[in-house]
């Protein structure tokens, strides 16, 4: 071959390959970037690392944007770039190297005559490769060689030759392979030595921000939500985004098009069918069509659907080829969502009626393998509702409709159940779903039908029916809880106890939520009936059960109900501790938002009202009002009404408090003694706040002997009517078996102090006030002192009471004045301006210059709750701005 005298290189002339065919010049030109091309800086920066490593691999699926990315990067290099788009004809080494040498020449990289040119299609002289490597190595600059579509080169001989040249060319050559599959080069060696730059399919996916910019370049200006939805559906696939954008531009309403986008009738379908499916052999095409009905699959499941035995190597090969098959780990795979959607449409066209059969077969296999959630999805998609409902019941998974973690998903799945599906299992599932949605009438009707079917003709007998009968007992307990029927709950619990002997132990171990839910329902029914000790026994067993996602919701509910029992017994400290522990369960296991408006937040709000932290209590009640619990029983409804009433009363709205007291009388199968008693207490206090002692007496006297808290309120009424001796008689005759906590005893002590003062014994009165302060400050119970009236103020001005009230009840931290006439000169005002613990958390973050949104995220609360805390902080610190609040907090050493 001739060599020029000046350079020693071969002259530029028309070139041919070893077979005599001309070399195609188009294969040496990088593709042109379209006007809508988006330069992705993060990927370009990653590619810049290619100049520091011998080998770079850009590996991704068809249409992932590999080639345009590398072309864009290469256009900005100062180093010479030899570009070659490989072809299936390049399997012959002589042809491949002839093209590669010409690519170097086309890039302006002179190739010396010593290198020569292959003369045979099937052979390359080793001297040619050695001379080329030596020639590149001794140059004073680096040459970048890009081999596009390198997945077309399947010759191991060519791979070994390329590895030889790359190794010996040293810094003179940087090889960039653009491929759908992993090349045959020894990648493990390059990875072990850190001499490879890799960009793979996941990194090539467009982010939402990149997709937004790409769509804008196509003239589509969509909202962030629409862009995120499109990215999620396409998984950031570049070609999918571009094809969707081009199609949407042709319609009048791009937003509507993308919402109604049907992948199987689009350019996306044409692309994937041509570029992916049609490239596969017939057997693999059939496999892909059949597994398109699965969200995920493993080789054994695929073999069950295809009736073959070779799924494992085929799936692995498809994944290596980036044929839109993703490896999930542990031998499980999934199809790209768009590809699966298109394949399903193709399956329906080629094999009508096969899809339901495949889904039923998959559902059976998945259930046998223990993958119940996937089995339910497939059974429902096959419209096989009897199988799907029976799987839930027989596998004892009925409780998952209530555990909170999968309840919404299962409820939505069974909302589609055909009314033609009949029998105990479908009716039990319908009952569970409707009771969970608080549709008592329909839920109880379906439960009755299921129980009749189970008992008819011995259908409910035998070990095989035990899971269905146990599921029925669970729903009976729930129905009893929702209707306030403690006797019904006891019968259901006893039936469940007997049935547990017939259910396989392994099944019970797999579903601990069944026992936890049963005990929670039983405990709630007992609580409603006022049987606090019995309720505590059942609920404590749930609260003390081992941690786990399956029982997170029952533990949350049990802790909330235990907190209520403590609060009703006048023990706000333990009540708060349990309610916070319940909130911790909700946060730890990310229970659905609509599960989080149960009794726990109400108890926390009630405790805050007793401490006169009214804004914080309001925030909790507001948050609870925006969502509905999965199960709202009479306990929750009565608790909500009473807490709202106590807050109205604390804010001075006695009429609203009276209305709330009436709402606390909740319709139920049996009345609740504690709900009636506390409704009477609230009504009495509201009448008393309005200055009407007679209606107050009528409201409370009928329950005065029920519990000590009622006797204390009745004694307050008698004091207001001017009968201190009668007040003391009521306190002395209070029930002995009722031993309440400080929330009641502090009020009782203050009644005695007022009675002593009214009977001319100020010394005893002062001593009793000191005792009340000592008991109250441990729990920061401010409301009893605020509600006591103006008589208490002079007693707080001197001596032991003043010392005990300092810092949490007396002034010095704010401007709050208790309702009533102004105190005489020298008498202290009652002040409740100390910041709560949560308010201090907020102030600390305000001092760190965090935004309201950042504070909300950090404290796991809503933005509105943070705003409520800020309003309370401003009020307590007597400021109107953030900066002033921080400065005042520092002055008072709160930071």
């Amino acid at each position: 071959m001739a060599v020029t005298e000046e350079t020693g290189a071969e002259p530029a002339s028309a070139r041919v390959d070893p077979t005599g065919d001309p070399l195609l010049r188009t294969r040496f030109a990088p593709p042109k970037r379209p006007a809508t091309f988006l330069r992705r800086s993060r990927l370009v920066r990653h590619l810049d690392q290619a100049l520091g490593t011998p080998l770079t691999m850009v590996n991704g699926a068809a249409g992932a944007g590999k080639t345009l990315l590398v072309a864009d990067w290469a256009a900005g290099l100062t180093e010479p770039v030899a570009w070659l788009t490989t072809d299936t004809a390049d399997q012959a080494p002589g042809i491949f190297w002839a093209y590669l040498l010409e690519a170097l020449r086309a890039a302006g990289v002179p190739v010396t005559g010593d290198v020569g040119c292959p003369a045979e299609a099937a052979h390359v002289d080793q001297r040619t490769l050695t001379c080329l490597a030596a020639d590149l190595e001794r140059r004073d600059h680096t040459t970048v060689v890009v081999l596009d579509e390198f997945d077309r080169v399947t010759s191991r001989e060519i791979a070994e030759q390329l590895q030889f040249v790359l190794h010996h060319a040293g810094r003179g050559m940087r090889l960039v392979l653009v491929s759908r599959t992993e090349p045959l080069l020894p990648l493990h060696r390059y990875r072990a030595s850190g001499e490879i730059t890799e960009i793979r399919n996941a990194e090539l996916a467009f982010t939402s921000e990149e997709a937004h910019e790409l769509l804008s370049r196509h003239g589509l200006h969509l909202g962030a939500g629409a862009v995120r939805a499109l990215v999620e559906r396409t998984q950031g696939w570049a070609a999918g985004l571009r094809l969707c954008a081009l199609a949407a531009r042709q319609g009048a309403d791009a937003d509507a098009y993308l919402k109604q986008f049907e992948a199987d009738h689009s350019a996306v379908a044409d692309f994937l069918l041509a570029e992916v499916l049609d490239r596969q052999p017939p057997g693999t095409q059939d496999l892909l069509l059949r597994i398109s009905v699965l969200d995920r699959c493993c080789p054994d499941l695929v073999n069950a659907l295809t009736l073959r035995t070779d799924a494992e190597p085929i799936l692995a090969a498809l994944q290596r080829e980036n044929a839109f098959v993703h490896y999930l780990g542990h031998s499980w795979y999934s199809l790209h969502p768009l590809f699966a959607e298109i394949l399903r449409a193709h399956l329906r066209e080629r094999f009508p009626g096969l899809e339901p059969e495949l889904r039923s077969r998959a559902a059976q296999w998945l259930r046998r393998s223990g993958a119940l959630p996937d089995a339910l999805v497939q059974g429902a998609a096959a419209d096989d509702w009897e199988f799907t409902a029976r799987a839930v019941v027989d596998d004892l998974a009925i409780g998952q409709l209530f555990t909170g973690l999968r309840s919404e998903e299962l409820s939505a799945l069974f909302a589609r159940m055909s009314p033609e599906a009949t029998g105990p299992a479908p009716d039990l599932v319908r009952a569970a779903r409707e009771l969970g949605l608080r549709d008592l009438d329909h839920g109880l009707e379906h439960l009755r039908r299921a129980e009749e079917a189970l008992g008819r003709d011995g259908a409910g007998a035998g070990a095989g029916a035990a899971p269905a009968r146990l599921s029925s007992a669970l729903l009976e307990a729930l129905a009893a809880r929702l209707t306030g029927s403690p006797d019904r709950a006891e019968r259901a619990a006893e039936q469940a106890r007997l049935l547990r002997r017939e259910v396989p132990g392994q099944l019970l171990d797999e579903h601990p939520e069944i026992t936890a839910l049963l005990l929670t329902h039983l405990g709630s029914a007992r609580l409603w009936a006022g049987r606090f000790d019995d309720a505590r026994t059942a609920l404590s067993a749930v609260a003390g059960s081992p941690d786990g996602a399956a029982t997170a919701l029952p533990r949350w509910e049990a802790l909330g109900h235990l907190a209520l029992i403590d609060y009703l017994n006048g023990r706000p400290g333990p009540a708060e501790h349990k309610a916070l522990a319940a909130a911790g369960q909700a946060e730890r296991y990310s229970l659905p938002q609509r599960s989080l408006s149960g009794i726990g937040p109400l108890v926390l709000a009630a405790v805050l009202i007793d401490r006169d932290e009214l804004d914080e209590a309001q925030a909790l009640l507001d948050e609870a009002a925006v969502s509905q619990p999965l199960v709202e029983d009479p306990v929750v409804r009565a608790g909500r009404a009473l807490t709202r009433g106590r807050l109205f009363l604390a804010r001075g709205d006695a009429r609203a408090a009276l209305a709330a007291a009436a709402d606390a009388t909740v319709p139920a199968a049996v009345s609740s003694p504690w709900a009636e008693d506390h409704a009477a207490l609230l009504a009495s206090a509201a009448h008393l706040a309005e200055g009407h002692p007679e209606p107050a007496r009528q409201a409370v006297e009928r329950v005065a002997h029920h519990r000590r808290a009622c006797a204390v309120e009745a004694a307050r009424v008698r004091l207001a009517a001017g009968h201190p001796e009668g007040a003391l008689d009521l306190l002395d005759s209070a029930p002995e078996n009722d031993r309440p906590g400080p929330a009641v005893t502090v009020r009782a002590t203050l009644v005695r102090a007022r009675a002593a003062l009214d009977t001319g014994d100020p010394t005893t009165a002062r001593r009793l006030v000191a005792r009340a302060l000592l008991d109250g400050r441990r729990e920061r119970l401010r409301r009893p002192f605020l509600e006591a009236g103006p008589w208490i103020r002079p007693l707080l001005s001197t001596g032991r009471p003043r010392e005990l009230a300092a810092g949490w009840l007396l002034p010095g931290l704010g401007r709050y004045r208790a309702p009533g006439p102004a105190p005489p000169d020298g008498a202290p005002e009652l002040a409740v301006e100390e910041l709560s613990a949560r308010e201090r958390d907020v102030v600390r973050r305000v001092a760190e210059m965090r935004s309201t949104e950042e504070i909300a995220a950090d404290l796991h609360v809503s933005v509105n709750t943070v705003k409520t805390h800020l309003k309370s902080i401003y009020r307590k610190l007597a400021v109107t701005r953030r900066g002033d609040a921080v400065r005042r907090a520092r002055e008072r050493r709160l930071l």
Side-chain angles (χ1 to χ4, degrees):
M1 190 169 289
V3 179
T4 63
E5 295 181 1
E6 291 83 1
T7 64
E10 295 179 48
S13 59
R15 303 288 180 178
V16 294
D17 68 19
T19 65
D21 291 334
L23 297 174
L24 301 174
R25 310 294 298 176
T26 53
R27 293 177 56 187
F28 307 130
K32 293 182 179 180
R33 287 152 287 165
T36 56
F37 174 78
L38 174 65
R39 181 181 177 86
R40 293 195 278 170
S41 299
R42 63 180 177 91
L43 295 179
V44 172
R45 287 194 298 271
H46 191 167
L47 269 178
D48 284 340
Q49 300 174 20
L51 299 176
T53 60
L55 179 62
T56 294
M57 183 174 68
V58 181
N59 180 262
K66 307 179 297 295
T67 298
L68 287 178
L69 167 67
V70 176
D72 179 53
W73 168 74
L77 295 178
T78 57
E79 293 81 358
V81 177
W83 185 285
L84 173 62
T85 301
T86 61
D87 191 87
T88 52
D90 295 347
Q91 305 308 315
I95 294 177
F96 173 83
W97 285 103
Y99 266 99
L100 183 52
L101 291 171
E102 187 62 20
L104 290 167
R105 298 186 185 97
V109 179
V111 179
T112 64
D114 292 341
V115 174
C117 189
E120 300 177 26
H123 177 71
V124 175
D125 192 280
Q126 183 64 30
R127 185 175 182 279
T128 296
L129 303 177
T130 302
C131 291
L132 175 60
D135 187 22
L136 292 171
E137 191 274 336
R138 64 172 170 258
R139 296 178 186 274
D140 56 2
H141 60 77
T142 298
T143 298
V144 177
V145 176
V146 178
L147 298 181
D148 189 23
E149 299 188 27
F150 191 68
D151 48 279
R152 296 182 175 183
V153 178
T154 59
S155 166
R156 186 171 297 278
E157 183 180 0
I158 292 175
E160 291 173 353
Q161 293 167 349
L162 193 59
Q163 160 64 12
F164 172 84
V165 172
L166 178 62
H167 175 69
H168 291 286
R171 297 188 59 83
M173 177 180 174
R174 293 291 181 255
L175 179 61
V176 179
L177 302 180
V178 184
S179 175
R180 296 187 188 182
T181 64
E182 288 203 353
L184 297 175
L185 275 69
L187 299 180
H188 61 284
R189 297 180 189 171
Y190 288 98
R191 287 169 179 153
S193 61
E195 294 183 315
I196 185 172
T197 299
E198 293 187 79
I199 294 181
R200 304 184 73 84
N201 210 47
E203 193 176 354
L204 289 166
F206 274 66
T207 65
S208 292
E209 293 75 15
E210 291 169 344
H212 185 276
E213 177 63 23
L214 178 69
L215 294 171
S216 297
R217 294 186 177 215
H218 283 80
L220 296 178
H221 303 284
L222 306 179
V227 173
R228 281 195 301 272
L230 186 58
V231 169
E232 182 177 350
R233 191 172 182 195
T234 60
Q235 293 189 347
W237 178 44
L241 289 169
R242 288 193 176 93
L243 291 170
C244 287
L246 290 171
R249 284 179 57 188
Q250 298 173 5
D253 188 341
D255 253 323
Y257 171 83
L258 292 175
K259 287 178 183 177
Q260 301 168 3
F261 170 67
E262 297 182 16
D264 55 305
H265 298 120
S266 69
V268 177
D270 296 337
F271 181 94
L272 286 174
L273 291 175
E275 292 293 325
V276 182
L277 185 65
D278 292 347
R279 288 191 174 201
Q280 304 299 331
T284 302
Q285 290 187 30
D286 181 73
L287 179 145
L288 284 169
L289 289 172
R290 289 171 181 266
I291 68 172
S292 67
V293 304
L294 303 172
D295 292 327
R296 61 192 189 106
C297 61
C298 66
D300 287 345
L301 174 55
V302 175
N303 286 334
L305 259 62
T306 60
L307 305 179
R308 294 164 52 166
T309 60
D310 57 352
E312 186 169 5
I314 293 177
L315 289 171
L318 289 168
Q319 188 267 332
R320 284 195 306 271
E321 295 169 11
N322 281 310
F324 290 82
V325 175
H326 307 312
Y327 183 61
L328 305 177
H330 305 288
S331 297
W332 285 87
Y333 297 82
S334 70
L335 292 175
H336 187 288
L338 275 179
F339 191 34
E341 189 176 339
I342 292 162
L343 289 175
R344 283 194 296 274
H346 210 52
L347 173 70
R348 295 173 192 133
E349 290 179 5
R350 289 183 58 180
F351 305 105
L354 180 58
E355 182 179 356
E357 179 186 335
L358 291 172
R359 290 190 181 277
S360 290
R361 200 182 301 169
Q364 298 282 353
W365 186 94
L366 288 163
R367 186 185 174 194
R368 289 194 303 271
S369 301
L372 182 63
D374 292 333
L376 298 181
V377 169
Q378 291 297 333
D383 208 26
D384 190 350
W385 292 108
E386 291 187 18
F387 163 85
T388 308
R390 193 169 61 252
V392 169
V393 173
D394 290 351
D395 285 24
L396 211 59
I398 198 84
Q400 292 183 6
L401 281 162
F402 308 105
T403 58
L405 302 178
R406 298 191 58 242
S407 57
E408 294 184 9
E409 173 190 335
L410 286 174
S411 181
L413 185 146
F414 282 105
R416 312 195 312 266
M417 183 159 59
S418 167
E420 298 175 0
T422 59
D427 276 325
L428 283 172
V429 171
R430 290 189 184 100
R433 181 176 180 274
E434 286 155 1
L435 290 174
L437 295 174
R438 296 184 300 284
D439 185 349
L440 277 176
D441 292 339
H442 289 96
L444 293 175
E445 173 62 22
H446 284 300
L447 180 58
R448 182 190 62 78
R449 288 169 53 184
E451 290 172 342
E452 289 178 355
L454 284 170
R456 189 184 306 125
D457 301 327
R469 293 162 63 204
L470 182 56
S471 298
S472 175
L474 171 63
L475 297 181
E476 273 290 324
L478 173 61
R481 172 183 174 180
L482 294 177
T483 56
S485 307
D487 290 342
R488 185 177 186 178
E490 296 291 348
R491 290 193 298 271
E494 177 60 19
Q495 182 185 13
R497 185 184 66 81
L498 297 174
L499 286 168
R500 285 176 61 91
R501 304 170 184 172
E502 302 178 25
V503 177
Q506 181 183 355
L507 198 55
L508 287 171
D509 291 342
E510 291 172 356
H511 294 284
E513 72 274 5
I514 293 292
T515 300
L517 287 167
L518 269 164
L519 290 175
T520 302
H521 301 334
L522 177 63
S524 180
R526 288 174 173 176
L527 194 163
W528 177 249
R531 295 163 48 198
F532 289 174
D533 290 341
D534 291 340
R536 191 188 301 275
T537 298
L539 295 168
S540 295
V542 180
S545 63
D547 278 355
T551 56
L553 182 64
R555 282 199 307 277
W556 172 74
E557 286 197 309
L559 285 165
H561 282 71
L562 288 169
L564 178 60
I565 293 173
D566 282 336
Y567 182 80
L568 293 174
N569 285 330
R571 296 183 171 84
E576 180 185 38
H577 177 76
K578 291 182 177 67
L580 289 174
Q585 285 285 313
E587 181 178 337
R588 178 179 178 186
Y589 290 100
S590 300
L591 295 178
Q593 185 61 35
R594 76 185 189 99
S595 299
L596 304 183
S597 56
I599 206 68
L602 299 178
V603 173
L604 286 175
V607 171
L608 290 170
I609 293 168
D610 281 348
R611 293 173 180 168
D612 206 50
E613 296 178 9
L614 304 185
D615 290 338
E616 294 84 345
Q618 184 70 63
L620 279 172
L621 289 175
D622 290 345
E623 281 197 15
V626 300
S627 59
Q628 292 295 320
L630 293 170
V631 175
E632 188 174 57
D633 56 27
V635 173
V636 174
R637 295 199 295 273
R640 180 183 296 112
L642 291 169
T643 306
R644 285 175 49 248
R646 290 279 295 131
L647 183 58
F648 286 138
L649 186 61
R651 291 196 183 280
D653 191 346
R655 292 198 175 186
L658 282 170
D663 291 341
T665 305
V666 176
V670 301
S671 59
S672 173
W674 64 264
E676 291 187 346
D677 290 349
H678 280 266
L681 291 177
L682 178 58
S684 173
H687 285 306
L688 208 56
E690 289 187 312
H692 302 143
E694 181 54 27
R697 183 191 66 77
Q698 293 175 4
V700 77
E701 289 259 332
R702 60 186 176 81
V703 299
H705 299 290
H706 288 181
R707 61 188 70 233
R708 190 170 290 270
C710 299
V712 172
E713 180 61 28
R716 284 186 69 227
V717 174
R718 290 196 179 183
L719 276 176
H723 303 296
E725 294 85 358
L728 293 173
D729 287 343
L730 272 173
L731 291 180
D732 291 339
S733 62
E736 290 293 332
N737 58 348
D738 183 17
R739 298 184 179 278
V744 177
T745 59
V746 166
R747 287 181 168 85
T749 303
L750 289 176
V751 169
R752 291 185 184 276
R754 169 74 183 279
L757 193 64
D758 288 353
T759 56
D761 188 356
T763 301
T764 299
R766 183 171 286 105
R767 177 177 56 79
L768 289 170
V769 168
R771 183 197 301 173
L773 287 166
L774 190 63
D775 291 342
R777 74 174 182 175
R778 296 191 187 100
E779 303 281 3
R780 299 190 178 279
L781 295 172
R782 299 180 177 94
R783 287 308 311 170
F785 299 94
L786 293 171
E787 295 165 353
W791 65 268
I792 197 173
R793 294 183 184 123
L795 297 179
L796 296 174
S797 61
T798 59
R800 180 67 170 157
R802 184 178 183 86
E803 294 176 7
L804 292 171
W808 68 282
L809 193 61
L810 288 181
L813 291 177
R815 305 175 290 106
Y816 183 88
R817 180 188 292 270
D825 291 344
E829 296 182 29
L830 294 181
V832 285
E833 297 306 315
E834 179 178 310
L835 298 187
S836 68
R838 183 45 62 92
E839 288 171 346
R840 288 180 182 235
D841 289 339
V842 172
V843 169
R844 278 194 289 269
R845 286 160 175 80
V846 169
E848 295 169 358
M849 304 295 290
R850 299 197 195 186
S851 68
T852 302
E853 291 75 13
E854 289 171 335
I855 296 172
D858 197 32
L859 297 179
H860 304 288
V861 297
S862 69
V863 171
N864 286 336
T865 298
V866 174
K867 291 179 179 178
T868 301
H869 286 315
L870 287 172
K871 289 179 183 178
S872 178
I873 291 166
Y874 294 163
R875 176 181 61 79
K876 291 182 177 182
L877 297 181
V879 298
T880 58
R881 295 182 300 181
R882 282 182 167 226
D884 293 338
V886 173
R887 187 180 66 256
R888 187 67 58 84
R890 287 196 174 113
E891 289 172 357
R892 296 180 178 179
R893 298 182 179 179
L894 300 177
L895 293 176

